[in-house]
Amino acid sequence: MDQELIENCRRLDAAARNDPDALRSLYADDFLIHRLDGSGETLVADKQAIISFFAGQRETDAASRDGNTVEYLHASRSRDIGMVIGKRTMQVSDKPVELIFSQIWRHQNNGWQMIRESVYAQSR
């Protein structure tokens, strides 16, 4: 597995909890996330929407975040494009949700930035 990509994922996770400026630098301006849930509903959100979501999560009880886990299943790159696949469990509105995700990262002069993420979300 590509450890540099995994480290960027970990930086993004940490920034989502407490560093909005770092979060902005890790998402590309053209970032999009496509989220599909168990009912078949699809949500597409851009950089600003996902940053706003994490800002709302930061305001929730810290104890609910303690149950969040992530497992990286694959990380590889070809030149300036990288892909990370993983599984995350997180608390959303006090309910555990399991997410299977695929992230596409792009390397430019200022480092790695995520450009796309696809997530399948399933309530437990």
Side-chain angles (χ1 to χ4, degrees), residues 49-96:
I50 198 71
I51 289 172
S52 295
F53 169 78
F54 284 125
Q57 287 292 102
R58 277 192 298 275
E59 296 170 6
T60 63
D61 180 19
S64 70
R65 292 191 303 264
D66 290 342
N68 294 356
T69 62
V70 64
E71 177 183 0
Y72 300 105
L73 305 172
H74 173 83
S76 64
R77 70 170 120 172
S78 177
R79 295 192 261 281
D80 62 344
I81 300 294
M83 173 181 258
V84 177
I85 298 170
K87 181 170 49 172
R88 176 184 316 276
T89 302
M90 64 187 296
Q91 298 292 319
V92 177
S93 302
D94 294 325
K95 295 179 188 174

